[in-house]
Amino acid sequence: MRWIRRCLCLLPLLSVSALSHAGVQLVVDGVDDPLKAAVTAGVSLSQYANRDVSEAQVQRLYDRADTQVSAALQPYGYYDAHATGKLEKTDKGWRVTLHVQPGKPVIVTSVDVKLAPNASALKPIKAAQRGIERLKGHRLDDEAYDTARDALNGALTANGYLDARLTVHRVEVNRGDHSAAIHLAWEVGTRYRYGQVHFEGSPFHPGFLDRYMPFKSGDYFSQDQLLKFQQTLNGADYFSVVNVMPQIDTARHGIVDINVQLAPAKRTIYTSGLFVGTDTGVGVRGGIGKRWVNPYGHKWTNDIVLAQRLKTLSSQYTIPLPSDNERSLNFGATYRDANTVTSQSRTLELVANESEIWHNWVRTLGVHALTGSFDVGKTPDEPESTPGIEHGSSTLIYAEGSLSRKQADNLDFVRRGWSISLDARSTAGDLLSSARFSEITADAKWIRSFWRNNRLILRGSLGHVWTDDFAALPPQLRFFAGGDQSIRGYSFQSLGPQNSYGRVIGGNNLIVASATVEHYFTRRWGIATFLDAGNAFDGTNAHARIGTGLGVRWRSPVGLIRVDVGTPINDAQRHGVELHLVIGPDL
């Protein structure tokens, strides 16, 4: 029994000994990443950093290092690489230092790509072919070669050459003169065309979803078109699942059918929420909508907004039209009760328009009927009989056209993007209208990140209205300045021409320019400084007002929250600070 106790007593010592590995510390110099990383990964010694190794083992591994270094650098075009080094015993095990000399690199001196002329004439395939040809004159790199070759192979498949086969793929290396020649050849076969498109799980009449197809049966197959098809079906907001699948495995005689698997989304949508904005005050919004009303895909949405200074009730009915550019007829009605520091209005607007994607712009053409009453130059708490308040009512029938477009790398938080919106509206003389008018507006925004954690945001607005009776125009057709999206440091629509009583009644011109710089000190929190300038005015004298200030930014779970504190500059009539709060996307 005593010898058993002695063995048990020795177990902790044996455990300590087992944990004390005589590992190998590998040091590589003479090259930088990625060559250094390749050498480290390719040398067997690197596998023994935390493993026990005997002197005989480490010597054998060290002797193989030169050959392994040479093999590790060949994929990077270095065929004469070798290494010298030193093997040392240390208190913690072994230290191996490798001095790598990569030698002269192999340069690609010729590239020979053979393709059928009809295939190489297609732009995507020609671009991929040029990607291979651009390897000429550069160091031979296996990864770059594989990427360029696979890109051309993928371009052939993506453009309908589903049977394309790589018949020659050879790289000839001449170590003597450090040169390489690339030889590639494809048999492209038949270029496939679309066959039948089959929809599974659609709740609509046969043929309805054909309007979303950017191609027709008999057109040449294109993966880009299929991707656009899937994106368009997703954007139609009818389905929770959209899978567009070409039946390549069963394609025959140059024809490939397309299966589209669909799962309808929830038909009725309910929305609600609280919101706050310095232009509107605290409010609630709610809505109910039908993603589709009938088997023809008609949509119907209804929304209500109840805020301190804005109340709206709106309804819109949408009829999709046969087209691959999201064309639709839209009919809407909106009741609006708005109160600002300079006006109050109660209007009913009826709209009928057609919208579509036109050269990557959203184009809308339609007719509006606007009727209602309004008080201009009136603050919210003043009685209507106060001298200087201008009362009006009007009915206006006018045509409107608009173009809008935006691009962004990430709509939730834009680092590189822009938006433009152009609008024009006009009555047909005084036909069915209280006054004749024509109006144009333009809004633009530009965002760029710089120095990683900073953003520059530029914004501008222009507008002009021609009319024979300015007093008949409701506030939404006049121009005011001031507010969150105008000139910060001034309250919403508090700037503009004044009447003889000194009350702001709006103008027929608008110019606003803004610059904001944001710095984010964490992923979600940042600070901002801004300078806004402009005014609403009559004639040619803008009397520009300037506002500046500081702000805080928070990328919250519900969207970007902007809190700004602004103050007027060099304005004898306006003093103090104004708080501005905006929640929502950049564009």
Side-chain angles (χ1 to χ4, degrees), residues 159-176:
N159 288 275
Y161 292 100
L162 305 182
D163 296 330
R165 186 167 60 92
L166 184 60
T167 57
V168 176
H169 49 100
R170 186 172 70 253
V171 179
E172 298 173 349
V173 176
N174 188 323
R175 293 192 175 205

Side-chain angles (χ1 to χ4, degrees), residues 549-560:
L550 300 173
V552 176
R553 301 292 183 265
W554 178 35
R555 296 179 62 185
S556 76
V558 298
L560 183 61

Side-chain angles (χ1 to χ4, degrees), residues 74-77 79 106-114 128-154 166-173 180-186:
Q74 283 189 13
Y76 296 88
Y79 281 72
V106 170
I107 303 298
V108 178
T109 56
S110 69
V111 175
D112 177 31
V113 179
K114 287 184 170 59
Q129 182 175 345
R130 287 174 178 168
I132 298 177
E133 293 168 348
R134 280 195 290 268
L135 296 176
K136 183 177 179 179
H138 294 275
R139 172 174 54 83
L140 178 63
D141 186 291
D142 287 4
E143 183 178 2
Y145 164 74
D146 290 342
T147 300
R149 180 200 62 212
D150 293 345
L152 180 49
N153 208 55
L166 184 60
T167 57
V168 176
H169 49 100
R170 186 172 70 253
V171 179
E172 298 173 349
V173 176
I182 295 175
H183 301 276
L184 292 169
W186 277 266

Side-chain angles (χ1 to χ4, degrees), residues 352-375:
N353 62 39
E354 179 190 67
S355 63
E356 64 179 341
I357 304 298
W358 179 73
H359 298 290
N360 295 319
W361 292 74
V362 177
R363 181 176 68 179
T364 303
L365 299 172
V367 178
H368 292 240
L370 178 65
T371 185
S373 61
F374 49 88
D375 302 318

Side-chain angles (χ1 to χ4, degrees), residues 16-238:
V16 172
S17 177
L19 292 172
S20 301
H21 297 307
V24 177
Q25 180 187 6
L26 178 63
V27 178
V28 177
D29 60 30
V31 289
D32 297 320
D33 285 334
L35 302 185
K36 184 175 181 179
V39 169
T40 302
V43 173
S44 300
L45 286 163
S46 63
Q47 302 174 16
Y48 289 83
N50 297 306
R51 294 169 59 185
D52 201 11
V53 60
S54 67
E55 182 175 356
Q57 285 178 306
V58 76
Q59 185 63 53
R60 283 196 302 271
L61 294 170
Y62 177 72
D63 292 340
R64 299 172 187 165
D66 183 46
T67 301
Q68 292 174 340
V69 167
S70 178
L73 295 185
Q74 283 189 13
Y76 296 88
Y78 295 95
Y79 281 72
D80 293 335
H82 66 92
T84 59
K86 183 166 56 174
L87 174 62
E88 302 173 285
K89 186 77 170 72
T90 67
D91 294 338
K92 297 181 179 180
W94 300 91
R95 176 186 175 91
V96 175
T97 304
L98 295 178
H99 307 292
V100 178
Q101 295 179 331
K104 186 177 179 180
V106 170
I107 303 298
V108 178
T109 56
S110 69
V111 175
D112 177 31
V113 179
K114 287 184 170 59
L115 274 177
N118 57 338
S120 60
L122 298 177
K123 286 185 178 180
I125 296 175
K126 183 182 292 184
Q129 182 175 345
R130 287 174 178 168
I132 298 177
E133 293 168 348
R134 280 195 290 268
L135 296 176
K136 183 177 179 179
H138 294 275
R139 172 174 54 83
L140 178 63
D141 186 291
D142 287 4
E143 183 178 2
Y145 164 74
D146 290 342
T147 300
R149 180 200 62 212
D150 293 345
L152 180 49
N153 208 55
L156 288 167
T157 302
N159 288 275
Y161 292 100
L162 305 182
D163 296 330
R165 186 167 60 92
L166 184 60
T167 57
V168 176
H169 49 100
R170 186 172 70 253
V171 179
E172 298 173 349
V173 176
N174 188 323
R175 293 192 175 205
D177 58 8
H178 298 89
S179 65
I182 295 175
H183 301 276
L184 292 169
W186 277 266
E187 288 182 3
V188 298
T190 301
R191 188 180 183 191
Y192 277 67
R193 297 175 182 268
Y194 295 109
Q196 298 300 313
V197 179
H198 306 282
F199 294 97
E200 301 175 10
S202 169
F204 304 112
H205 275 313
F208 171 74
L209 294 178
D210 292 351
R211 69 197 62 203
Y212 296 105
M213 292 166 47
F215 56 85
K216 60 183 181 296
S217 295
D219 289 349
Y220 284 118
F221 177 91
S222 167
Q223 284 186 351
D224 287 343
Q225 287 180 336
L226 293 182
L227 177 60
K228 181 181 178 182
F229 185 28
Q230 177 150 336
Q231 291 172 339
T232 302
L233 286 174
N234 277 316
D237 196 35
Y238 293 125

